[in-house]
Amino acid sequence: MRRAVIIVIALLAATANASPTDELDAARRSFRTHDYDSAMKTLKDLLYPREQLALTSDLIEARQMLGACDFEAGRTDEAKIEFEKALQIDPTLHLDTNFYSAGAQHLFDETRSDLEQRRAKEAEIRKLQEERERLKRIAENLVVV
């Protein structure tokens, strides 16, 4: 009897602790059926407080789906944050037109554009700082005769 109870408990624990891949599959199913709240909860559990997905492609997909869930729930600021995190991993990403809404795709593209503009500004600032440092070194080494 005691052995049977232990086996039942072990089986329940094993089924309750699905792998991160299984959880991502569940989030995909929820997302496809437009159950954004369930998908969002599962995806947040996979990504926060620490990322539980080992494959980069799974991590990107989870961030894209979570961003789309946030968008569909009217939380565009949170959606942009998730889209940006996905784009930081792979700046060439696009959302699948068969899987994501036109609105989510538009916000994703807008986020990519904002990120590209910010990176260009940061590169320009870095370039100006390097030039300033170069001129400063020249001035320090200048000898007036």
Side-chain angles (χ1 to χ4, degrees):
M1 177 72 166
R2 183 176 182 196
R3 182 177 262 168
V5 170
I6 292 172
I7 291 172
V8 168
I9 291 172
L11 288 173
L12 288 174
T15 57
N17 294 327
S19 73
T21 303
D22 295 336
E23 293 292 318
L24 183 58
D25 287 339
R28 278 188 203 108
R29 286 190 298 276
S30 295
F31 187 85
R32 283 189 180 116
T33 61
H34 306 283
D35 183 1
Y36 300 119
D37 289 335
S38 295
M40 191 180 313
K41 181 189 178 321
T42 303
L43 292 165
K44 283 185 178 182
D45 289 344
L46 287 171
L47 296 171
Y48 297 101
R50 65 176 183 80
E51 298 169 346
Q52 298 178 36
L53 299 165
L55 296 176
T56 302
S57 59
D58 287 347
L59 186 58
I60 289 170
E61 182 182 8
R63 295 239 177 250
Q64 287 176 315
M65 276 195 294
L66 182 54
C69 288
D70 283 328
F71 170 78
E72 299 299 342
R75 294 187 286 269
T76 55
D77 290 340
E78 290 88 347
K80 284 182 134 187
I81 290 169
E82 292 303 326
F83 288 156
E84 187 169 316
K85 287 180 180 182
L87 287 163
Q88 287 172 345
I89 298 169
D90 182 358
T92 66
L93 290 174
H94 294 278
L95 291 186
D96 182 353
T97 58
N98 296 319
F99 195 59
Y100 297 97
S101 70
Q105 291 172 38
H106 177 73
L107 185 64
F108 186 85
D109 293 340
E110 182 181 300
T111 303
R112 180 189 308 103
S113 177
D114 292 347
L115 186 59
E116 288 170 354
Q117 288 175 5
R118 195 166 56 239
R119 285 181 176 161
K121 284 180 185 177
E122 289 169 356
E124 183 65 27
I125 290 170
R126 253 190 323 277
K127 185 178 173 183
L128 290 171
Q129 288 173 337
E130 289 169 1
E131 182 64 16
R132 184 179 303 146
E133 288 298 317
R134 187 182 74 78
L135 292 172
K136 182 179 175 183
R137 284 192 303 274
I138 289 172
E140 288 171 352
N141 293 322
L142 190 65
V143 176
V144 178
V145 181

